[in-house]
Amino acid sequence: MQLLTHSSLMNASSPQNRPRPTGNASKILTAKDGPRTLRILASLLFDSETATFVKDRVVTVSRVTGLITDVSSIKSDVDYVNDQSADIVDLRPQNIVLLPGLVDTHVHLFLGPYNVSSGWDDQVLGQSVAERTIRATTRAKDTLMSGYTTVRDLGTEGAGEADIALRKCISAPMSIIPGPRLFTVTRAIVPSGTYGPKSELHPHDEGVDGVQGADTADGEAECRKVIRRQVGAGADWIKIYGDQLSRSRLEAVSPRTGNYSFPTFTREEFKALIDTAHSLGTKICAHAISDSTIKLLIELGIDSIEHGYLMTEAGALKALQDSNGRTKWNPTLATFRPGGLYPDSTCNAAKRAFQKALKMGGISFATGGDTGTFAHGANALEMTTMIEYGATPREALKWSTLGGWECIRGRTWDGEEGNERLKNFEKAAEAGLHANCAEDEVKAFERIEEWPLGDNDVPFGVIKPGFAADLAGLIVSARSMAWLGLGLDGGRADESAGMDVDDFCDAIQHRVEFVMKGGRVYKMGGTEIARGL
């Protein structure tokens, strides 16, 4: 990896050379900060809209807005070396494939792997909110450095609204710690008696010593109230439990009953939860396992399903297919890998459901592994498990980039309104490419009433003008570079193709060398740059 810089881009000790946070018109780049533009040269780039790899591209990034302003074919190197208007990052010498920043749609930053950080109860009851928050900051950094520039955290599990404070510290204009764009739900929502931690001394109590793993609501009025309260607290998303092991205390004497997932809410309660969230412009997802519950949730307009390993072709999978992409599915295959937390029967069911969905086609996937049940920073395990179970690398990459954007984005980015916003962002970003100064770049977005830009209200997941400059570069073998460049799916039809798939899976997990989020470089040549440049 080579850097050709005209403004000491890599001088981390020089504050004037750091890109300023976006989203605040009073903190834009001035002449003393050096070039407003950064260009990234890549031999191979993944186009997540077409799920193809394209060769020899230069990606132009605005360090004022943090957005991509242009993607074009590479001209001669002399044109870039002699260009004093931009800093250059050259990824070509090391067989680096440039991807949109990856998206994990199901994480728990306030939990660590149970086999490393102790069990769920031990963390929820044995670690203070302050300790869990500090641990979450290191997990956020590990996540970003692995190439994941956006995550959706689906519940603090007893840490209240600490995820909102974490989001504030990661996001511009504060950005005091490195981490991905963070979409929050604060607390999951359950009915009484459903969730942990549970007291042995006082079985009727909700929680232990004032600690509850989720928010409780009973009846339609309380369901509406809890949604309003969480939205008012600042949640990006709402999470509910569609079914749960509500009778788990019977496990010792009646294992079958104790391990059965019962529906949590009534139809009327589900409707109140979903409709109230949507009326407040907020999307809502559901932890759900059983076929009948998921089918009902899809009918009522749920935005994403988490887990879903008991879905059938004639039931919930068909309902997902018929939703035409309105409801996304996060199968969380990584948490259900054999030899992990769950029995083989559950792991096999998860694999079968995913393979049935692949065969059916027409189902919108996103990739969220329930990260936190396994190590943060190993987020790509979900993607590689999908590939192991039959998806192609190109499919998995699309679901982990564009699919993540389509899942996580706010409701104002959906439908015709969203398409219009995307067009306006593209035009404003392209106008910035030709702007004479930083102020003119800002004015382009002021004219479409989109300035200041918010970290969670910009497009991401695609390398094209108007989208966030969230990028990840991974080193692959020369053979894989050639194989990907041919645009092949990488199926395991023969041994050589299988070797290429294995190399790609290893690269996506262990060989992320370059990371950019919002136009700031956080990893270069494998070296972490905690404050970003």
Side-chain angles (χ1 to χ4, degrees), residues 299-373:
E299 176 191 333
L300 295 175
I302 201 76
D303 294 295
S304 79
I305 294 293
E306 314 303 308
H307 311 308
Y309 58 79
L310 294 181
M311 290 191 288
T312 66
E313 298 101 318
L317 287 175
K318 182 64 165 60
L320 268 178
Q321 190 182 55
D322 290 344
S323 78
N324 295 317
R326 186 197 69 208
T327 301
K328 315 299 180 186
W329 181 27
N330 295 282
T332 63
L333 299 176
T335 198
F336 296 124
R337 287 184 67 85
L341 299 174
Y342 297 92
D344 288 347
S345 58
T346 299
C347 299
N348 292 334
K351 180 178 180 179
R352 285 195 302 270
F354 177 70
Q355 291 176 332
K356 289 174 184 176
L358 281 182
K359 186 176 180 180
M360 289 174 64
I363 290 174
S364 292
F365 292 99
T367 57
D370 208 350
T371 313
T373 60

Side-chain angles (χ1 to χ4, degrees), residues 19-20 343 360 446 471 486:
R20 304 293 178 84
M360 289 174 64
E446 288 179 335
L471 304 168
L486 291 171

Side-chain angles (χ1 to χ4, degrees), residues 443-475:
K443 287 178 182 177
F445 282 90
E446 288 179 335
R447 282 193 289 271
I448 61 172
E449 299 182 350
E450 292 284 4
W451 190 268
L453 304 177
D455 271 23
N456 288 9
D457 200 26
V458 293
F460 53 83
V462 184
I463 303 177
K464 65 184 293 187
F467 278 69
D470 294 358
L471 304 168
L474 58 143
I475 293 180

Side-chain angles (χ1 to χ4, degrees), residues 480-502:
S480 288
M481 180 69 83
W483 164 67
L484 293 171
L486 291 171
L488 301 178
D489 283 340
R492 296 178 181 272
D494 56 55
E495 185 179 355
S496 61
M499 288 172 61
D500 288 326
V501 171
D502 292 340

Side-chain angles (χ1 to χ4, degrees), residues 3 5 7-12 17 38 63 87 89 521 533:
L3 176 70
T5 175
S7 66
S8 302
L9 179 64
M10 295 299 291
N11 185 0
N17 287 332
L38 179 67
R63 297 169 68 205
D87 290 323
V89 175
V521 178
L533 295 172

Side-chain angles (χ1 to χ4, degrees), residues 58-107:
V58 55
V59 180
T60 304
V61 171
S62 167
R63 297 169 68 205
V64 175
T65 64
L67 302 180
I68 296 167
T69 58
D70 184 63
V71 180
S72 56
S73 298
I74 292 176
K75 297 179 288 186
S76 69
D77 287 1
V78 174
D79 293 329
Y80 302 109
V81 173
N82 295 330
D83 183 3
Q84 298 292 317
S85 68
D87 290 323
I88 307 295
V89 175
D90 193 349
L91 304 178
R92 295 174 297 172
Q94 286 187 279
N95 286 337
I96 291 180
V97 177
L98 187 64
L99 312 174
L102 301 170
V103 183
D104 190 328
T105 50
H106 191 137
V107 308

